[in-house]
Amino acid sequence: MALQMMLLGLMIVVALAKPEPKPAADPQYYPKYEPKYPQPSYSKPSYKPSYPAYPEYKPSYDYSYKKDSYYCDPRTPPRCANSSATFCLNDYEYPSREIQYAIEYDPLILKKYADVPVQSADNLVDGVSSSEEDKFDYSHYNGKTFDQSNWIGGAGYICPSNVIYARPKRALNVEGEWRVIVQDVAYYTQTQRVETCLFAGASCRTLAPCHRSSCVQKYVYHRMLSFDPCNAQKGLFIDIYKLPSACSCRIPA
């Protein structure tokens, strides 16, 4: 009985010691927090990509010398070529701007283009160096079979020739039409070794007349990256040209 009375007293003490609940916060004394500075507002930017349009083709060179109402004829030789030439090394009417546009808008340009810009006899002629080839002198030779000049002279080829490492600006293709060659625009060049007989058909140097020798001109076909000024919408393309490649001595049967 005494134990029960002790437990009852302990429960009464614990109940009396329990804290009373705090009243709810009065908004009058606890105002709502409002920031003093305005909050920044962010909006998602709208991005619209823009792509350059292909510029309208407008020839920058003068055709007034041909006709009053210009008509482009690819078989008409350009002013840079004489009556017998098949290519031009210099061309003051060269359409550099039009070719630059064609290069920029051609995604396959690097697959079409190839060149060895540095060429000489060192890597193209066996047994002859470039310094030796440059010193060949044919000033005494005139192509006459029984002339004394046929037997004099120093080192050189048996058929005198003019050798240049050319970068033609325009050339006549195998179909008889003139094309512009991509040349010296940006870093694009196309170099060809061109060897032309000085006296085609003349007797070979240092050979006796009884051999009835003659110097003949040889050619080779070259593929070059080209541009048609009469049809600029074709862009850049590979065309084929026949250029002088060697001057050889021929002895008949």
Side-chain angles (χ1 to χ4, degrees), residues 3-253:
L3 181 60
Q4 293 179 353
M5 292 297 292
M6 290 177 62
L7 292 176
L8 180 61
L10 182 61
M11 293 175 62
I12 294 172
V13 171
V14 171
L16 293 175
K18 185 177 181 181
E20 296 182 359
K22 295 181 179 180
D26 189 354
Q28 181 177 0
Y29 300 100
Y30 300 95
K32 183 179 179 182
Y33 172 75
E34 293 182 359
K36 297 181 179 180
Y37 305 99
Q39 298 296 317
S41 60
Y42 300 96
S43 60
K44 185 177 180 181
S46 59
Y47 174 71
K48 294 182 179 180
S50 59
Y51 302 97
Y54 193 95
E56 182 182 358
Y57 172 74
K58 295 181 179 180
S60 61
Y61 28 90
D62 182 21
Y63 291 113
S64 58
Y65 70 93
K66 293 183 178 179
K67 293 181 180 180
D68 293 336
S69 58
Y70 168 67
Y71 171 74
C72 188
D73 183 6
R75 295 185 178 273
T76 301
R79 288 201 286 188
C80 64
N82 56 37
S83 58
S84 60
T86 59
F87 61 92
C88 296
L89 297 180
N90 298 300
D91 182 13
Y92 68 91
E93 294 178 328
Y94 190 78
S96 300
R97 187 181 66 179
E98 288 75 8
I99 293 180
Q100 180 69 42
Y101 287 162
I103 290 174
E104 293 176 357
Y105 290 92
D106 190 342
L108 302 177
I109 180 65
L110 295 179
K111 294 184 178 181
K112 300 176 184 179
Y113 169 76
D115 185 34
V116 180
V118 180
Q119 301 182 24
S120 68
D122 295 333
N123 51 21
L124 293 177
V125 183
D126 290 342
V128 179
S129 66
S130 60
S131 59
E132 290 175 332
E133 188 178 59
D134 293 339
K135 294 178 182 178
F136 290 167
D137 183 13
Y138 307 110
S139 59
H140 299 288
Y141 179 75
N142 56 23
K144 296 180 180 179
T145 304
F146 299 99
D147 193 89
Q148 184 181 2
S149 64
N150 195 51
W151 308 102
I152 63 176
Y157 299 120
I158 195 171
C159 279
S161 61
N162 181 36
V163 178
I164 60 173
Y165 297 88
R167 293 178 177 176
K169 294 292 187 71
R170 293 184 192 246
L172 188 68
N173 68 5
V174 294
E175 297 178 353
E177 296 182 348
W178 283 89
R179 298 283 189 257
V180 174
I181 310 300
V182 176
Q183 206 71 263
D184 296 325
V185 178
Y187 60 86
Y188 297 97
T189 59
Q190 299 182 86
T191 311
Q192 312 295 346
R193 184 182 190 274
V194 178
E195 182 175 352
T196 308
C197 290
L198 293 179
F199 301 94
S203 61
C204 303
R205 191 168 65 103
T206 72
L207 288 186
C210 62
H211 293 293
R212 295 182 298 158
S213 63
S214 62
C215 293
V216 294
Q217 180 69 61
K218 289 184 177 181
Y219 298 85
V220 69
Y221 290 116
H222 290 277
R223 293 163 54 87
M224 291 188 283
L225 190 61
S226 308
F227 177 79
D228 185 0
C230 295
N231 188 0
Q233 300 304 321
K234 290 174 63 177
L236 301 179
F237 54 91
I238 302 297
D239 213 338
I240 303 175
Y241 306 88
K242 187 176 77 170
L243 298 178
S245 63
C247 187
S248 299
C249 180
R250 174 183 177 273
I251 298 179

